[in-house]
């Protein structure tokens, strides 16, 4: 059989993780990454094509005929990259443009959840600022204001006061700070509890959940400071107790896929449910239409089997539970970020100690915002590295990840020293 080619679209920590896993699958497929980073260059061949240049990606794929294209980020999915590949006779893993609306429009996602009876925060949608403010004054604080569309993680305001919420409404509907994405807002009930990320593979009909994970969205320890793309993660997340799995499967995943199907939308790819584990049980905060970042960095290394057969099965409609097997190990990822992130930060600073860190047993240093320059690896993004450790339990996994962080240096590096604190606290309680 000819060597299989796989195209991974994207260039962050999630894509390095996917490329690393796929390159190590049986048969060692030849992995390409567009555009990739300095880490993907170690396991794949980087292509100088941005993840959002759909036409250039199709052109490359028509010439190279990859077995499968795996789409990492939401932007090309919401733009319809999978439809475009399919129309060209090319196989791509991910939802169609219509299905990706589940992430691309929070109003659409809410409408699906309300129609299907999926547990979620009570919400109303507005395009008029006056009406939105009248509604939120009636609701009182705390209250959540969300821009409808993709806003690079900046579109959600969890407001402690009514005036903060009003300012968020104005930013979106009056000042147009999120452009088209903020022409509609949702005003949502504020849920209390601990968050968890549930990622599931879906083939249009069959649903296979992946191991649970928890992300750390705030930039500073003790969950202080602004939200980021994610400062670290761990898997499994003990807050998702075994007793909740049948509920999550039935009430969240199955109901959502069934409601989409009822509307003629076939969901294939990763369905990612961001859950709040409230006193009344799990409720959906958001859906994403792709692998999470950095959740992927802690879920994928726990697989005790190849990844490609499961991704293929999603595209072909032949997904089943027995395509995935899991290690008992826990996994933890500590994100090393550039100083100043999620605000402005420097780029081009040399990163040292990568080899020494990667030489540690059960440590994988996934690259996120890195580039190669003059034979050196330099910073090239806000989230620079996802330093990942596996271990018999979370404490052991974290120990490895932090030991590895200690070997790595770059100017103004910043990372949280409390990744996994909720799970460790829980363990100490029991
Ligand atoms: P989202 O992009 O919808 O996940 O929102 C980003 C973050 O805002 C979530 O991870 C939560 O921390 C928070 N959030 C979103 N919706 C709510 C809600 N209804 N109640 C409380 N927190 C929320
Ligand atoms: N870790 C959050 C996300 O991928 O959106």
């Amino acid at each position: 059989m000819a060597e299989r080619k796989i195209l991974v679209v994207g260039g962050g920590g999630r894509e390095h993780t996917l490329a690393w896993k796929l390159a190590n699958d049986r048969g060692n497929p030849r992995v390409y990454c567009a555009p990739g980073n300095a880490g993907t260059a170690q396991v794949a061949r980087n292509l100088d094509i941005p993840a959002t240049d759909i036409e250039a990606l199709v052109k490359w794929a028509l010439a190279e005929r990859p077995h499968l294209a795996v789409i990492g980020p939401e932007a090309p999915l919401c733009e319809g990259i999978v439809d475009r590949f399919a129309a060209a006779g090319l196989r791509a893993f991910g939802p169609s443009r219509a299905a990706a609306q589940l992430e691309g429009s929070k109003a659409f996602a809410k409408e699906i959840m309300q129609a299907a009876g999926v547990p979620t925060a009570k919400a109303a949608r507005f395009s008029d600022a006056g009406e939105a403010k009248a509604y939120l004054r009636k609701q009182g604080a705390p209250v959540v204001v969300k821009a409808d569309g993709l806003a690079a993680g900046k579109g959600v305001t969890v407001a402690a006061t009514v005036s903060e919420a009003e300012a968020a409404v104005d930013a979106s509907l009056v000042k147009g700070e999120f452009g088209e994405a903020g022409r509609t807002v949702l005003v949502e009930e504020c849920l209390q509890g601990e968050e968890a990320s549930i990622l599931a593979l879906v083939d249009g009909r069959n649903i296979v959940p992946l191991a649970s994970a928890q992300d750390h969205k705030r930039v500073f320890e003790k969950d202080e400071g602004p939200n980021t793309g994610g400062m670290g993660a761990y898997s499994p997340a003990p807050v998702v107790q075994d007793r909740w799995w049948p509920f999550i499967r039935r009430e969240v995943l199955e109901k959502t896929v069934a409601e989409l199907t009822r509307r003629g939308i076939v969901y294939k790819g990763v369905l990612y449910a961001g859950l709040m584990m409230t006193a009344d049980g799990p409720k959906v905060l958001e859906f994403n239409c792709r692998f999470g970042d950095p959740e992927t960095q802690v879920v994928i290394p726990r697989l005790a089997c190849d990844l490609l057969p499961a991704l293929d099965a999603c595209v072909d409609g032949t997904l089943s539970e027995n395509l995935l097997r899991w290690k008992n190990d826990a996994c933890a990822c500590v994100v090393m970020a550039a100083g100043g992130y999620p605000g402005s930060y420097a780029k081009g600073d040399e990163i040292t100690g990568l080899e020494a860190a990667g030489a540690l047993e059960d440590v994988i240093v996934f690259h996120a915002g890195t580039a190669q320059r003059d034979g050196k690896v330099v910073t090239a993004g806000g989230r620079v590295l996802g330093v990942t450790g596996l271990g018999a339990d979370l404490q052991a996994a974290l120990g490895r990840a932090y030991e590895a962080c200690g070997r790595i240096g770059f100017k103004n590096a910043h990372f949280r020293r409390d990744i996994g604190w909720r799970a460790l606290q829980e363990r100490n309680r029991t």
Side-chain angles (χ1 to χ4, degrees), residues 257-268:
V257 171
E259 178 61 26
L260 290 170
T261 307
R262 209 178 60 73
R263 296 173 185 226
I265 298 172
V266 178
Y267 199 99
K268 290 186 174 194

Side-chain angles (χ1 to χ4, degrees), residues 200-209 249 253-254 257 267-269 313-314 316-321:
L201 295 181
V202 185
D203 73 351
R205 196 165 48 93
N206 303 297
I207 300 170
V208 176
R249 181 187 272 277
L253 303 171
E254 290 178 1
V257 171
Y267 199 99
K268 290 186 174 194
C314 287
D316 299 337
T318 54
L319 185 63
S320 72
E321 213 66 60

Side-chain angles (χ1 to χ4, degrees), residues 103 106 110 120-123 142-147 153-159 187-193 195-196 215 217-218 227-228 272 274-276 284-288 290:
E103 175 164 2
K106 290 179 190 291
K110 191 61 80 173
T120 184
K122 201 176 113 197
V143 66
V144 182
V145 179
K146 298 184 175 183
K154 297 192 171 73
V156 175
T157 304
V158 180
V187 178
E188 207 170 280
E189 166 199 9
C190 188
L191 299 175
Q192 309 292 338
E195 289 180 47
D215 181 12
K217 291 213 167 87
R218 304 294 195 104
N227 267 331
T228 68
Y272 164 149
L275 300 180
M276 187 73 94
V284 177
L285 292 171
E286 63 162 346
F287 282 121
N288 293 322
R290 49 166 175 85

Side-chain angles (χ1 to χ4, degrees), residues 20-186:
W20 165 82
K21 178 66 182 161
L22 291 164
N24 285 300
D25 267 7
R26 227 162 309 160
N28 299 106
R30 186 171 185 81
V31 181
Y32 295 80
C33 203
N37 57 38
T40 64
Q42 295 164 8
V43 293
R45 184 175 296 185
N46 286 347
L47 304 174
D48 191 15
I49 308 176
T52 45
D53 192 344
I54 296 178
E55 290 318 310
L57 292 166
V58 168
K59 191 170 160 213
W60 179 87
L62 281 172
E64 296 291 333
R65 292 277 156 193
H67 168 74
L68 184 69
V70 181
I71 316 300
E74 62 276 18
L77 289 166
C78 292
E79 286 292 318
I81 189 171
V82 171
D83 313 62
R84 189 66 190 82
F85 266 62
L90 297 161
R91 296 170 77 249
F93 173 85
S96 65
R97 181 186 183 136
Q101 285 182 86
L102 218 44
E103 175 164 2
S105 166
K106 290 179 190 291
F108 174 79
K110 191 61 80 173
E111 183 189 318
I112 294 292
M113 286 189 271
Q114 286 169 345
V118 172
T120 184
K122 201 176 113 197
R125 62 189 282 181
F126 300 95
S127 46
D128 179 88
E131 288 174 21
K133 289 183 199 172
Y135 176 83
L136 69 83
R137 277 195 289 266
K138 212 164 61 199
Q139 300 298 312
V143 66
V144 182
V145 179
K146 298 184 175 183
D148 175 48
L150 295 182
K154 297 192 171 73
V156 175
T157 304
V158 180
T161 61
V162 167
S163 60
E164 200 185 328
E166 287 179 332
V169 166
D170 281 338
S172 201
L173 294 181
V174 180
K175 296 183 194 143
E177 279 178 20
F178 306 113
E180 202 53 43
R183 288 280 187 85
T184 300
V185 298
L186 288 184

